[in-house]
Amino acid sequence: MAARRKGGKRRDGKPDLVESSIPPAAPLSRSSGAGVATSLPKSQVVAVTGAAGFLGLNLIGLLEEDDRVRRIVSLDLEPPRTAGQKTRVYEVDLTQPATEERVAEIFAAEGVDALVHLAFLASPSHSTAWAHELESVGTMHLLNACRRTQVRKLVMWSQTVLYGAHPTNPNFLSEKHSLRARRAEPFFADKIEAEADALRFGRPGKGRVVTILRTATLLGPTVRNYLTRYLSHRIVPTVLGFDPLWQFVHEADAVAAFKLAVDRDTPGIFNIVGEGVLPLSTVIRLAGRMGLPVPRPIMNTVTGALWLAQLSEAPPSFLDYLQYVCVADGDLAQRQMGFSPVYTTREALIEYASAQHLREVKLLSETPA
Amino acid sequence: MSSKRKQGGSGAPASERAPRRRKSRRRTKAPLADPASDERGEDGTLGIGSRVIPPPEMHDEPPASETPVVERMLDPADVQEEIRALEARLDGMIRRASERASEPPPPASLRDQVGTAARDVADRLGLPGGGEAARELFSSDYFLRQWGRLSLRNRSEEVDDFGLDPTYEKRIEPILDFLYKHYFRVSTSGIENIPASGRCLVVANHSGTLPIDGVMLRSAVRIEHPSVRELRWLAEDFIFYLPFAGAFFNRIGAVRACQENAERLLKKGSLVAVFPEGIKGIKKLYKDRYNLQRFGRGGFIRLCLRTQTPLVPCAVIGAEETNPMLYRVEYLSKALGLPYVPVTPTFPLLGPLGIVPAPSKWIISFGEPIRFEGYGPEAADDHVLVGRLSERVRSAIQGMLDRGLKDRRSVWFG
């Protein structure tokens, strides 16, 4: 799975996946269900794809300390740094045609009960064909492997950006809204396909539990993605005349949500978002940056050119998010999953900004993975 | 450090002055902390107490800042002037003194302590140049941006769920008040029909080419209502397509009109205004003024039934005359992506100046609340009932409009 680390190189040659550096901190377990009564077997075997990515890394760190988990099976191209006693590391590339066979063997051998599927790109990639193989086709392989073995639970990562930014969006999108992100953009299209696949896998009557967690864009002191890179510029380009409301989820909250989904059986789709919204202009100022408003047509051209030159974080289709609102409602996760975020949108942003600033003045020298 | 101060001869006054001096510096210069002055600041605090400062020069200062304390307290500006002058002199002295000082003074200021601490941390972590980095932290452009001219002075750090920015609204409140009290000279009646608390839906006629009736409704409730109530109005989609308009109206309280938003607002117990005519209302021609258009598909009634919200009909008179639309250029509106391209007596003629609304006299009247307690939430699915109730509200507002128009003698003076 780890295929993720191969593709989309960043400008600085770093892989374009969620990378991270710091193992999960204590607060992670705060909102993850302590003392939850579960119907799960006393000890389960959890497989994690994309284990070396930010979410996978931290989730494995949490599961290592959880007595209810007997074994963790890590599927990625690289071993996760947080792998401990309980973790078995397999080098699996989801983009290979033989993946299905291989994964099914691993699942059967390890007796995997639950699969946490995190092998998705956190940031848009230039190698779109590879990304398609990984996200869309890779998910298909995985789900087929699950069907062939006794995996009864799937927790999958998805993102609220898939709702798409439209002027006709309500201020808070619920899980019932259709995913209207631009299908022409492979970053969105592949994830939407994967989600549809997962929903087919979890059709009622099969006795399977499928939980899809749509997280808002992750932000926090250690996570790396296109958004953190966008906000790390001195001058941040915006669209002239538009100031949409934005929403983030703190990285620790996101990891906690996945832990919660592993702990409890809560089938369904859930938005995992921080509370509160902030206008983009305020986001930029709180991050200590300067906004540069540019008319959208110019922005389109410039971003397109920069993207081709591999100098921009995201292709022009992401400009919609600088213009229109795409904010999700986390109410359902609160009611049904019992997940309530610890950090608000603003706190997540400030956590990110302070860490970023320390990094800039070299007081914090963690090398982002 | 304290021993040094004693050696300095003028121990007591100097040590007393030292903190004061720093304080005033904070007040006057801190926001723009420029590296050079910081440098001086550090040496300064240290230098004051140390023996390198010539005592005579020290002595002519205490009277200036200390004797006439009582009088000076009355005039802070003078004191500030004085302090600044003294600071300048002190800085000069300190520069000279520190040039002469043979050994570096020990760390004493807060800034230096932080610097040392950071150096220690950096040393332990094995980072190069930790101390330099710490200094940089306090004099970087980041601080400039954070507290300098680019800070969030006119904007709140937090907005509510729908993007209302309280600081920004406070700032433009005088303009809204002027429009409300002196420009449109709004006279409001029946404001007591809006309950003092709890959810409520105000349904009004929409008019006037530019969607300013929502802003005025909000101002009316803010200014006239006895209990502090905040009205959010639902604005048409097209505002959010337009540059500037969407961001602006959103910041001062507009919310995009859709069922989800309205329901969320009402569930929080807010006061919400809707214009069920929607875009057909503001784009109607002058000859159709005060003739209510179709009330959408009755979505507002379904909303009221589902959430058990009382409904207050409202008639806005005067807004039709602000920008009377004589003609709509249909083929241009498609090309420009606008809902309509109006031709008013002034608009294309005077250019951008033509969109300034005419100062007509506005009359806003709120009618008796209509309650739907007799119906359960399931009534929202009864299309016939919804249609009938919608028509009832429409005719109530039309009646209020007709009565108001009959009583009005002049467009400009009411």
Side-chain angles (χ1 to χ4, degrees), chain A residues 167-172 177 234 240-243 277-279 281-282 285-286 288 290 324 329 346 357 361 363 365, chain B residues 127 133 137 141-142 145 150 152 155 157-162 237 240-244 251 256 258 260-261 264:
Chain A
T168 52
N169 275 349
N171 279 49
F172 289 89
H177 282 90
R234 245 155 195 271
L240 181 70
F242 292 91
D243 194 11
V277 292
L278 285 176
S281 57
T282 308
R285 281 177 238 201
L286 283 180
M290 256 161 82
Y324 305 121
D329 184 0
R346 181 167 170 270
H357 183 58
V361 298
L363 269 182
S365 80
Chain B
L127 295 180
L137 189 79
D141 304 17
Y142 174 77
R145 287 195 294 275
L150 296 169
L152 282 162
R155 301 282 299 281
E157 271 199 24
E158 278 170 289
V159 299
D160 84 340
D161 279 358
F162 291 91
D237 295 3
F240 295 92
Y241 284 98
L242 300 176
F244 303 106
R251 252 175 241 159
R256 194 187 84 80
C258 65
E260 291 96 334
N261 284 348
R264 198 180 169 96

Short mmCIF file of all heavy atoms in Angstrom, two decimals, chain A residues 167-172 177 234 240-243 277-279 281-282 285-286 288 290 324 329 346 357 361 363 365, chain B residues 127 133 137 141-142 145 150 152 155 157-162 237 240-244 251 256 258 260-261 264:
data_model
loop_
_atom_site.label_atom_id
_atom_site.label_comp_id
_atom_site.label_asym_id
_atom_site.label_seq_id
_atom_site.Cartn_x
_atom_site.Cartn_y
_atom_site.Cartn_z
N PRO A 167 -21.45 27.76 -4.75
CA PRO A 167 -22.20 28.83 -4.10
C PRO A 167 -23.58 28.36 -3.64
O PRO A 167 -24.21 29.02 -2.84
CB PRO A 167 -22.31 29.90 -5.18
CG PRO A 167 -22.00 29.21 -6.45
CD PRO A 167 -21.14 28.04 -6.14
N THR A 168 -24.02 27.21 -4.13
CA THR A 168 -25.34 26.73 -3.74
C THR A 168 -25.28 25.78 -2.54
O THR A 168 -26.31 25.24 -2.14
CB THR A 168 -26.00 25.98 -4.91
OG1 THR A 168 -25.08 25.01 -5.38
CG2 THR A 168 -26.36 26.92 -6.02
N ASN A 169 -24.09 25.59 -2.00
CA ASN A 169 -23.99 24.73 -0.82
C ASN A 169 -24.68 25.38 0.37
O ASN A 169 -24.56 26.59 0.57
CB ASN A 169 -22.52 24.52 -0.44
CG ASN A 169 -21.88 23.40 -1.19
OD1 ASN A 169 -22.56 22.64 -1.86
ND2 ASN A 169 -20.58 23.31 -1.10
N PRO A 170 -25.37 24.61 1.19
CA PRO A 170 -25.79 25.17 2.48
C PRO A 170 -24.54 25.38 3.34
O PRO A 170 -23.49 24.82 3.05
CB PRO A 170 -26.67 24.07 3.08
CG PRO A 170 -26.27 22.83 2.39
CD PRO A 170 -25.80 23.22 1.02
N ASN A 171 -24.66 26.19 4.38
CA ASN A 171 -23.47 26.50 5.18
C ASN A 171 -22.90 25.27 5.86
O ASN A 171 -21.72 25.21 6.15
CB ASN A 171 -23.79 27.56 6.21
CG ASN A 171 -23.75 28.94 5.59
OD1 ASN A 171 -24.35 29.15 4.55
ND2 ASN A 171 -23.03 29.84 6.20
N PHE A 172 -23.78 24.28 6.15
CA PHE A 172 -23.28 23.05 6.75
C PHE A 172 -23.81 21.88 5.97
O PHE A 172 -25.02 21.66 5.90
CB PHE A 172 -23.69 22.96 8.22
CG PHE A 172 -22.95 23.94 9.07
CD1 PHE A 172 -23.43 25.21 9.27
CD2 PHE A 172 -21.75 23.58 9.65
CE1 PHE A 172 -22.73 26.12 10.03
CE2 PHE A 172 -21.03 24.48 10.42
CZ PHE A 172 -21.53 25.75 10.61
N HIS A 177 -25.80 14.85 1.72
CA HIS A 177 -25.56 15.57 0.47
C HIS A 177 -24.67 14.75 -0.46
O HIS A 177 -23.79 14.02 -0.01
CB HIS A 177 -24.90 16.91 0.76
CG HIS A 177 -25.86 17.93 1.25
ND1 HIS A 177 -26.13 18.10 2.59
CD2 HIS A 177 -26.66 18.81 0.60
CE1 HIS A 177 -27.04 19.05 2.73
NE2 HIS A 177 -27.38 19.50 1.55
N ARG A 234 4.80 33.10 2.59
CA ARG A 234 4.73 34.42 3.18
C ARG A 234 3.49 35.15 2.66
O ARG A 234 2.76 35.78 3.38
CB ARG A 234 5.95 35.23 2.74
CG ARG A 234 6.82 35.57 3.87
CD ARG A 234 8.23 35.81 3.40
NE ARG A 234 9.05 35.78 4.59
CZ ARG A 234 9.29 36.86 5.31
NH1 ARG A 234 8.83 38.04 4.96
NH2 ARG A 234 9.99 36.77 6.41
N LEU A 240 -9.90 37.31 -5.58
CA LEU A 240 -10.38 38.67 -5.33
C LEU A 240 -11.90 38.69 -5.18
O LEU A 240 -12.62 38.19 -6.03
CB LEU A 240 -9.96 39.58 -6.49
CG LEU A 240 -10.36 41.05 -6.38
CD1 LEU A 240 -9.55 41.73 -5.29
CD2 LEU A 240 -10.15 41.76 -7.70
N GLY A 241 -12.36 39.29 -4.10
CA GLY A 241 -13.79 39.48 -3.91
C GLY A 241 -14.48 38.33 -3.21
O GLY A 241 -15.68 38.39 -2.99
N PHE A 242 -13.75 37.28 -2.88
CA PHE A 242 -14.39 36.15 -2.22
C PHE A 242 -13.67 35.84 -0.90
O PHE A 242 -12.46 35.97 -0.80
CB PHE A 242 -14.38 34.91 -3.12
CG PHE A 242 -15.27 35.06 -4.31
CD1 PHE A 242 -14.78 35.58 -5.50
CD2 PHE A 242 -16.60 34.71 -4.24
CE1 PHE A 242 -15.61 35.74 -6.58
CE2 PHE A 242 -17.43 34.87 -5.32
CZ PHE A 242 -16.94 35.39 -6.51
N ASP A 243 -14.45 35.46 0.06
CA ASP A 243 -13.87 35.18 1.38
C ASP A 243 -14.67 34.04 2.02
O ASP A 243 -15.46 34.25 2.91
CB ASP A 243 -13.97 36.46 2.23
CG ASP A 243 -13.10 36.35 3.46
OD1 ASP A 243 -12.30 35.42 3.54
OD2 ASP A 243 -13.24 37.21 4.35
N VAL A 277 -16.18 27.92 12.24
CA VAL A 277 -15.67 28.21 10.91
C VAL A 277 -14.89 29.51 10.98
O VAL A 277 -15.05 30.29 11.91
CB VAL A 277 -16.80 28.34 9.87
CG1 VAL A 277 -17.48 27.02 9.63
CG2 VAL A 277 -17.83 29.37 10.32
N LEU A 278 -14.05 29.72 9.99
CA LEU A 278 -13.28 30.96 9.91
C LEU A 278 -13.25 31.41 8.47
O LEU A 278 -13.07 30.59 7.57
CB LEU A 278 -11.84 30.74 10.37
CG LEU A 278 -11.57 30.59 11.85
CD1 LEU A 278 -10.10 30.29 12.06
CD2 LEU A 278 -11.94 31.86 12.59
N PRO A 279 -13.43 32.71 8.21
CA PRO A 279 -13.26 33.18 6.84
C PRO A 279 -11.81 33.01 6.41
O PRO A 279 -10.90 33.12 7.25
CB PRO A 279 -13.63 34.66 6.90
CG PRO A 279 -14.23 34.88 8.23
CD PRO A 279 -13.77 33.79 9.13
N SER A 281 -9.84 34.92 4.91
CA SER A 281 -8.97 36.07 5.20
C SER A 281 -8.48 36.01 6.64
O SER A 281 -7.33 36.34 6.93
CB SER A 281 -9.72 37.37 4.95
OG SER A 281 -10.89 37.40 5.73
N THR A 282 -9.35 35.58 7.55
CA THR A 282 -8.94 35.46 8.95
C THR A 282 -7.96 34.32 9.13
O THR A 282 -7.01 34.42 9.91
CB THR A 282 -10.18 35.26 9.82
OG1 THR A 282 -11.13 36.27 9.52
CG2 THR A 282 -9.84 35.34 11.28
N ARG A 285 -4.61 35.56 8.20
CA ARG A 285 -4.03 36.48 9.18
C ARG A 285 -3.65 35.78 10.46
O ARG A 285 -2.63 36.09 11.06
CB ARG A 285 -5.01 37.60 9.46
CG ARG A 285 -4.96 38.63 8.34
CD ARG A 285 -5.96 39.69 8.57
NE ARG A 285 -6.86 39.76 7.44
CZ ARG A 285 -7.59 40.82 7.16
NH1 ARG A 285 -7.53 41.87 7.94
NH2 ARG A 285 -8.38 40.83 6.13
N LEU A 286 -4.48 34.83 10.89
CA LEU A 286 -4.13 34.10 12.12
C LEU A 286 -2.87 33.26 11.91
O LEU A 286 -2.13 33.01 12.84
CB LEU A 286 -5.29 33.19 12.54
CG LEU A 286 -6.47 33.87 13.22
CD1 LEU A 286 -7.53 32.84 13.57
CD2 LEU A 286 -6.04 34.61 14.46
N GLY A 288 -0.49 34.30 10.37
CA GLY A 288 0.60 35.27 10.29
C GLY A 288 1.07 35.51 8.86
O GLY A 288 2.22 35.85 8.63
N MET A 290 0.21 37.00 4.68
CA MET A 290 -0.46 38.11 4.00
C MET A 290 -1.24 37.54 2.83
O MET A 290 -0.72 36.75 2.06
CB MET A 290 0.59 39.08 3.47
CG MET A 290 0.71 40.34 4.27
SD MET A 290 2.26 41.12 3.93
CE MET A 290 1.87 41.99 2.45
N TYR A 324 -15.85 29.51 -2.76
CA TYR A 324 -17.16 29.15 -2.22
C TYR A 324 -17.02 28.28 -0.98
O TYR A 324 -15.98 27.68 -0.73
CB TYR A 324 -17.99 28.42 -3.28
CG TYR A 324 -18.12 29.19 -4.56
CD1 TYR A 324 -17.68 28.66 -5.75
CD2 TYR A 324 -18.66 30.48 -4.57
CE1 TYR A 324 -17.79 29.37 -6.93
CE2 TYR A 324 -18.77 31.20 -5.74
CZ TYR A 324 -18.33 30.64 -6.92
OH TYR A 324 -18.42 31.34 -8.08
N ASP A 329 -21.08 19.34 8.45
CA ASP A 329 -21.72 19.35 9.77
C ASP A 329 -21.30 18.08 10.52
O ASP A 329 -21.56 16.98 10.06
CB ASP A 329 -23.24 19.37 9.55
CG ASP A 329 -24.00 19.49 10.86
OD1 ASP A 329 -23.34 19.55 11.91
OD2 ASP A 329 -25.24 19.52 10.81
N ARG A 346 -10.41 26.99 14.95
CA ARG A 346 -9.45 28.06 15.23
C ARG A 346 -8.26 27.52 16.02
O ARG A 346 -7.12 27.88 15.76
CB ARG A 346 -10.18 29.15 16.02
CG ARG A 346 -9.31 30.30 16.36
CD ARG A 346 -10.14 31.46 16.86
NE ARG A 346 -9.26 32.46 17.38
CZ ARG A 346 -8.88 32.51 18.65
NH1 ARG A 346 -9.34 31.64 19.50
NH2 ARG A 346 -8.05 33.44 19.03
N HIS A 357 5.65 28.39 12.89
CA HIS A 357 6.52 29.54 13.13
C HIS A 357 7.81 29.10 13.83
O HIS A 357 8.90 29.54 13.47
CB HIS A 357 5.81 30.59 13.97
CG HIS A 357 6.66 31.80 14.18
ND1 HIS A 357 7.15 32.53 13.14
CD2 HIS A 357 7.15 32.35 15.30
CE1 HIS A 357 7.90 33.51 13.60
NE2 HIS A 357 7.92 33.42 14.93
N VAL A 361 11.78 29.61 12.46
CA VAL A 361 12.94 30.21 13.12
C VAL A 361 13.87 29.13 13.66
O VAL A 361 14.74 29.40 14.45
CB VAL A 361 12.52 31.16 14.25
CG1 VAL A 361 11.72 32.32 13.70
CG2 VAL A 361 11.73 30.44 15.32
N LEU A 363 13.61 26.76 15.77
CA LEU A 363 13.60 26.32 17.16
C LEU A 363 13.04 24.92 17.25
O LEU A 363 13.24 24.21 18.21
CB LEU A 363 12.74 27.26 18.02
CG LEU A 363 13.48 28.42 18.64
CD1 LEU A 363 12.55 29.24 19.48
CD2 LEU A 363 14.64 27.91 19.47
N SER A 365 13.07 21.58 15.10
CA SER A 365 13.70 21.05 13.90
C SER A 365 13.30 19.62 13.69
O SER A 365 14.11 18.74 13.63
CB SER A 365 15.21 21.15 14.01
OG SER A 365 15.67 20.09 14.79
N LEU B 127 20.89 21.90 18.73
CA LEU B 127 20.61 22.74 17.57
C LEU B 127 21.65 23.84 17.49
O LEU B 127 22.07 24.37 18.51
CB LEU B 127 19.25 23.40 17.70
CG LEU B 127 18.04 22.49 17.70
CD1 LEU B 127 16.79 23.33 17.83
CD2 LEU B 127 18.01 21.70 16.43
N ALA B 133 18.16 32.31 17.17
CA ALA B 133 16.79 32.04 16.73
C ALA B 133 15.80 32.68 17.69
O ALA B 133 14.79 33.24 17.27
CB ALA B 133 16.56 30.55 16.66
N LEU B 137 12.96 35.47 16.92
CA LEU B 137 11.54 35.25 17.21
C LEU B 137 10.87 36.54 17.65
O LEU B 137 9.73 36.80 17.34
CB LEU B 137 11.43 34.20 18.31
CG LEU B 137 10.05 33.67 18.61
CD1 LEU B 137 9.68 32.64 17.58
CD2 LEU B 137 10.02 33.05 19.98
N ASP B 141 9.50 39.45 11.25
CA ASP B 141 8.37 40.06 10.53
C ASP B 141 7.07 39.47 11.03
O ASP B 141 6.03 40.09 10.93
CB ASP B 141 8.45 39.75 9.04
CG ASP B 141 9.76 40.19 8.45
OD1 ASP B 141 10.69 40.41 9.24
OD2 ASP B 141 9.83 40.31 7.25
N TYR B 142 7.17 38.26 11.55
CA TYR B 142 5.95 37.63 12.05
C TYR B 142 5.30 38.50 13.11
O TYR B 142 4.11 38.74 13.10
CB TYR B 142 6.29 36.26 12.63
CG TYR B 142 5.13 35.58 13.29
CD1 TYR B 142 4.16 34.98 12.52
CD2 TYR B 142 4.99 35.57 14.67
CE1 TYR B 142 3.08 34.36 13.10
CE2 TYR B 142 3.92 34.96 15.26
CZ TYR B 142 2.97 34.35 14.48
OH TYR B 142 1.90 33.75 15.07
N ARG B 145 3.68 41.41 11.59
CA ARG B 145 2.39 41.11 10.98
C ARG B 145 1.34 40.83 12.04
O ARG B 145 0.19 41.18 11.90
CB ARG B 145 2.52 39.89 10.06
CG ARG B 145 3.25 40.18 8.79
CD ARG B 145 3.03 39.08 7.78
NE ARG B 145 3.63 37.83 8.22
CZ ARG B 145 4.90 37.51 8.04
NH1 ARG B 145 5.69 38.36 7.42
NH2 ARG B 145 5.38 36.37 8.45
N LEU B 150 -0.77 44.96 9.85
CA LEU B 150 -1.59 43.99 9.12
C LEU B 150 -2.44 43.13 10.06
O LEU B 150 -3.00 42.14 9.65
CB LEU B 150 -0.69 43.06 8.32
CG LEU B 150 0.10 43.76 7.23
CD1 LEU B 150 1.15 42.85 6.67
CD2 LEU B 150 -0.83 44.22 6.13
N LEU B 152 -5.41 41.95 12.83
CA LEU B 152 -6.86 41.80 12.68
C LEU B 152 -7.60 42.89 13.41
O LEU B 152 -8.51 42.63 14.17
CB LEU B 152 -7.28 40.44 13.25
CG LEU B 152 -7.01 39.21 12.39
CD1 LEU B 152 -7.07 37.98 13.25
CD2 LEU B 152 -8.05 39.12 11.30
N ARG B 155 -11.29 43.13 12.26
CA ARG B 155 -12.00 41.88 12.04
C ARG B 155 -11.92 41.04 13.29
O ARG B 155 -10.94 41.08 14.02
CB ARG B 155 -11.36 41.13 10.87
CG ARG B 155 -11.37 41.90 9.57
CD ARG B 155 -12.72 41.84 8.94
NE ARG B 155 -13.05 40.45 8.67
CZ ARG B 155 -12.58 39.81 7.62
NH1 ARG B 155 -11.82 40.40 6.75
NH2 ARG B 155 -12.88 38.56 7.44
N GLU B 157 -11.58 37.63 15.47
CA GLU B 157 -10.82 36.40 15.28
C GLU B 157 -11.76 35.23 15.09
O GLU B 157 -11.39 34.20 14.60
CB GLU B 157 -9.94 36.14 16.50
CG GLU B 157 -8.59 36.78 16.37
CD GLU B 157 -7.59 36.16 17.31
OE1 GLU B 157 -7.79 35.01 17.72
OE2 GLU B 157 -6.64 36.86 17.65
N GLU B 158 -12.98 35.41 15.57
CA GLU B 158 -13.93 34.31 15.43
C GLU B 158 -15.22 34.84 14.83
O GLU B 158 -15.66 35.93 15.18
CB GLU B 158 -14.21 33.67 16.78
CG GLU B 158 -13.15 32.67 17.17
CD GLU B 158 -13.29 32.22 18.59
OE1 GLU B 158 -13.02 33.03 19.50
OE2 GLU B 158 -13.68 31.07 18.81
N VAL B 159 -15.82 34.05 13.98
CA VAL B 159 -17.11 34.42 13.43
C VAL B 159 -18.11 33.36 13.87
O VAL B 159 -17.72 32.31 14.34
CB VAL B 159 -17.06 34.49 11.89
CG1 VAL B 159 -16.07 35.52 11.44
CG2 VAL B 159 -16.71 33.13 11.31
N ASP B 160 -19.39 33.66 13.73
CA ASP B 160 -20.35 32.64 14.13
C ASP B 160 -20.48 31.61 12.99
O ASP B 160 -19.81 31.71 11.97
CB ASP B 160 -21.68 33.27 14.53
CG ASP B 160 -22.57 33.55 13.34
OD1 ASP B 160 -22.05 33.62 12.21
OD2 ASP B 160 -23.78 33.71 13.52
N ASP B 161 -21.32 30.61 13.20
CA ASP B 161 -21.40 29.50 12.27
C ASP B 161 -21.68 29.94 10.84
O ASP B 161 -21.31 29.27 9.89
CB ASP B 161 -22.51 28.54 12.70
CG ASP B 161 -22.04 27.62 13.79
OD1 ASP B 161 -20.86 27.72 14.16
OD2 ASP B 161 -22.85 26.82 14.29
N PHE B 162 -22.38 31.06 10.70
CA PHE B 162 -22.79 31.47 9.36
C PHE B 162 -21.96 32.64 8.85
O PHE B 162 -22.30 33.26 7.87
CB PHE B 162 -24.28 31.80 9.34
CG PHE B 162 -25.12 30.58 9.52
CD1 PHE B 162 -25.51 30.17 10.77
CD2 PHE B 162 -25.47 29.82 8.42
CE1 PHE B 162 -26.26 29.03 10.93
CE2 PHE B 162 -26.22 28.67 8.58
CZ PHE B 162 -26.62 28.27 9.84
N ASP B 237 -29.20 33.10 -3.77
CA ASP B 237 -27.93 32.50 -4.18
C ASP B 237 -27.03 33.46 -4.92
O ASP B 237 -25.84 33.47 -4.74
CB ASP B 237 -28.20 31.33 -5.14
CG ASP B 237 -28.93 30.21 -4.48
OD1 ASP B 237 -29.26 30.38 -3.30
OD2 ASP B 237 -29.17 29.20 -5.14
N PHE B 240 -24.05 35.24 -3.68
CA PHE B 240 -22.84 34.50 -3.33
C PHE B 240 -22.02 34.13 -4.56
O PHE B 240 -20.89 33.69 -4.43
CB PHE B 240 -23.21 33.27 -2.50
CG PHE B 240 -23.80 33.68 -1.16
CD1 PHE B 240 -25.17 33.82 -1.00
CD2 PHE B 240 -22.97 33.99 -0.11
CE1 PHE B 240 -25.70 34.22 0.21
CE2 PHE B 240 -23.50 34.41 1.10
CZ PHE B 240 -24.86 34.53 1.26
N TYR B 241 -22.61 34.34 -5.75
CA TYR B 241 -21.81 34.18 -6.95
C TYR B 241 -20.98 35.42 -7.22
O TYR B 241 -19.96 35.37 -7.87
CB TYR B 241 -22.71 33.98 -8.18
CG TYR B 241 -23.33 32.62 -8.32
CD1 TYR B 241 -24.62 32.36 -7.91
CD2 TYR B 241 -22.60 31.59 -8.91
CE1 TYR B 241 -25.19 31.12 -8.07
CE2 TYR B 241 -23.18 30.34 -9.07
CZ TYR B 241 -24.46 30.12 -8.65
OH TYR B 241 -25.01 28.89 -8.81
N LEU B 242 -21.49 36.56 -6.76
CA LEU B 242 -20.86 37.83 -7.11
C LEU B 242 -19.64 38.09 -6.23
O LEU B 242 -19.67 37.81 -5.04
CB LEU B 242 -21.85 38.98 -6.94
CG LEU B 242 -23.11 38.90 -7.77
CD1 LEU B 242 -24.04 40.04 -7.43
CD2 LEU B 242 -22.76 38.93 -9.24
N PRO B 243 -18.59 38.64 -6.82
CA PRO B 243 -17.46 39.00 -5.97
C PRO B 243 -17.84 40.15 -5.04
O PRO B 243 -18.72 40.95 -5.36
CB PRO B 243 -16.37 39.42 -6.96
CG PRO B 243 -17.07 39.71 -8.23
CD PRO B 243 -18.34 38.93 -8.24
N PHE B 244 -17.22 40.25 -3.94
CA PHE B 244 -17.39 41.29 -2.92
C PHE B 244 -18.76 41.25 -2.24
O PHE B 244 -18.84 41.23 -1.02
CB PHE B 244 -17.13 42.70 -3.48
CG PHE B 244 -15.77 42.83 -4.08
CD1 PHE B 244 -15.59 42.88 -5.45
CD2 PHE B 244 -14.65 42.86 -3.26
CE1 PHE B 244 -14.32 42.96 -5.99
CE2 PHE B 244 -13.39 42.94 -3.78
CZ PHE B 244 -13.22 43.00 -5.16
N ARG B 251 -20.68 38.81 5.97
CA ARG B 251 -20.05 39.30 7.19
C ARG B 251 -21.01 40.09 8.06
O ARG B 251 -20.87 40.14 9.27
CB ARG B 251 -18.87 40.21 6.82
CG ARG B 251 -17.54 39.58 7.10
CD ARG B 251 -16.44 40.47 6.61
NE ARG B 251 -15.66 39.79 5.60
CZ ARG B 251 -14.91 40.41 4.72
NH1 ARG B 251 -14.85 41.73 4.71
NH2 ARG B 251 -14.21 39.73 3.85
N ARG B 256 -27.12 32.29 3.08
CA ARG B 256 -27.69 31.83 1.82
C ARG B 256 -29.03 31.15 2.07
O ARG B 256 -29.17 30.37 3.02
CB ARG B 256 -26.76 30.85 1.13
CG ARG B 256 -27.14 30.62 -0.32
CD ARG B 256 -26.32 29.54 -0.94
NE ARG B 256 -26.85 28.22 -0.67
CZ ARG B 256 -27.88 27.68 -1.33
NH1 ARG B 256 -28.49 28.34 -2.27
NH2 ARG B 256 -28.29 26.47 -1.03
N CYS B 258 -31.57 28.63 1.95
CA CYS B 258 -31.90 27.25 1.64
C CYS B 258 -32.48 26.63 2.90
O CYS B 258 -32.30 27.14 4.01
CB CYS B 258 -30.69 26.46 1.14
SG CYS B 258 -29.39 26.26 2.33
N GLU B 260 -31.82 23.98 4.61
CA GLU B 260 -30.90 23.51 5.64
C GLU B 260 -30.47 24.66 6.55
O GLU B 260 -30.48 24.53 7.78
CB GLU B 260 -29.65 22.88 5.02
CG GLU B 260 -29.89 21.57 4.31
CD GLU B 260 -30.09 21.79 2.82
OE1 GLU B 260 -30.52 22.90 2.44
OE2 GLU B 260 -29.82 20.86 2.05
N ASN B 261 -30.08 25.77 5.90
CA ASN B 261 -29.61 26.91 6.70
C ASN B 261 -30.72 27.46 7.59
O ASN B 261 -30.51 27.74 8.76
CB ASN B 261 -29.11 28.03 5.78
CG ASN B 261 -27.74 27.71 5.21
OD1 ASN B 261 -27.08 26.79 5.66
ND2 ASN B 261 -27.33 28.46 4.22
N ARG B 264 -31.45 25.19 10.50
CA ARG B 264 -30.38 25.23 11.50
C ARG B 264 -30.48 26.49 12.36
O ARG B 264 -30.35 26.45 13.58
CB ARG B 264 -29.03 25.18 10.79
CG ARG B 264 -27.90 24.79 11.69
CD ARG B 264 -26.61 24.76 10.90
NE ARG B 264 -25.50 24.65 11.82
CZ ARG B 264 -24.91 23.50 12.14
NH1 ARG B 264 -25.35 22.39 11.61
NH2 ARG B 264 -23.91 23.47 12.99
#
